[in-house]
Amino acid sequence: MIPQADIEDVLFHLANVLRVPVFVAAILALIFMLFELGSFVFELANRRRRIGFRRLDQAAAAALEALRRSDRPGATRALSTLGSSGMMVETLTELTAQYGEPAAPDRMAKCLADFDLASLQRLERTRLLVRFGPALGLMGTLIPLSPALAGLAKGDVTQLSNNLRVAFSVTVLGLLIGAVAFAISLVRDRFYAQDLSDLEYIVAALNPDDAGPSHPGDVAPPLPGHV
């Protein structure tokens, strides 16, 4: 039977081995969070004003008129003004390309489903940081506590203070990453839900003779993430 002391020593050494990787991962998570924050600020700048219903209706009517004249470039230009992101512009372009094709409503519904999936994949990056940041912060807090307590037992105040300083710093860093990532995810979720709503209206406007294409949830099981 393995002595308990040996098992505790193994766990202690394993935790110490993770010390540097956890700190490095926390720094990388911070860098990734800053990148996402910069991307989010750029995204906000492109959404300075909400696309009003009148503008949406005018663009849809202009695109439909152009498509009826077989002017796909003109329809793409009319709808491109509604694109608030690269994903939305690509979807609008694909919608005009599908107009008049066999089973166009179903193909357009597939475009909407793909846009919804791409939006969820985009959100997953910051949603991962929401959990990953605090988890790294907690690990980075607990790992230095062992040597800190060992220093306290030996009366080594320097070792104690150094390890506690590192532990609390990583805690603050992890909480910061999680809080910023949560805020970005929350706002982006609303943005992408609104984009999907606008795209659904465009699809309905491009198919006035149909009851409307199926909702993306009718093409595939509803995707989680949008309330």
Side-chain angles (χ1 to χ4, degrees):
M1 183 175 182
I2 302 177
Q4 181 178 349
D6 292 342
I7 297 176
E8 292 173 351
D9 287 339
V10 170
L11 293 176
F12 175 77
H13 289 303
L14 285 176
N16 282 336
V17 168
L18 292 175
R19 181 185 179 109
V20 174
V22 167
F23 292 164
V24 172
I27 294 174
L28 292 178
L30 176 64
I31 295 173
F32 187 68
M33 184 272 290
L34 292 175
F35 173 79
E36 286 294 326
L37 181 60
S39 176
F40 176 68
V41 171
F42 179 77
E43 196 171 352
L44 280 177
N46 290 336
R47 297 173 181 264
R48 289 186 298 269
R49 291 189 304 171
R50 166 78 174 86
I51 298 176
F53 179 77
R54 178 175 300 179
R55 180 183 168 192
L56 188 68
D57 199 38
Q58 290 174 347
L64 180 59
E65 182 180 353
L67 288 171
R68 285 173 173 171
R69 300 195 309 266
S70 299
D71 183 12
R72 294 186 188 274
T76 301
R77 287 192 300 270
L79 294 179
S80 63
T81 59
L82 304 176
S84 53
S85 65
M87 291 190 304
M88 191 173 180
V89 171
E90 292 177 3
T91 303
L92 289 169
T93 302
E94 185 62 26
L95 290 178
T96 58
Q98 296 299 333
Y99 180 84
E101 297 294 326
D106 292 334
R107 289 174 176 267
M108 290 181 177
K110 181 63 168 64
C111 291
L112 295 184
D114 289 344
F115 175 84
D116 196 25
L117 180 60
S119 298
L120 291 177
Q121 290 174 339
R122 186 77 174 83
L123 284 169
E124 283 174 358
R125 302 194 306 196
T126 47
R127 285 176 174 172
L128 179 64
L129 290 178
V130 172
R131 300 296 182 88
F132 197 54
L136 287 174
L138 180 59
M139 293 176 65
T141 302
L142 297 178
I143 291 175
L145 285 183
S146 293
L149 293 175
L152 178 62
K154 294 185 297 184
D156 189 345
V157 180
T158 301
Q159 180 180 352
L160 173 65
S161 61
N162 288 340
N163 281 283
L164 288 180
R165 182 181 63 180
V166 172
F168 294 145
S169 298
V170 178
T171 302
V172 173
L173 183 63
L175 293 176
L176 175 65
I177 293 171
V180 174
F182 177 75
I184 294 175
S185 299
L186 197 65
V187 178
R188 275 181 172 167
D189 194 15
R190 175 172 57 84
F191 282 165
Y192 298 155
Q194 185 61 62
D195 289 345
L196 181 61
S197 174
D198 292 343
L199 288 171
E200 288 176 339
Y201 181 81
I202 293 296
V203 170
L206 295 182
N207 297 275
D209 298 330
D210 296 306
S214 302
H215 187 274
D218 297 333
V219 176
L223 297 172
H226 293 304
V227 179

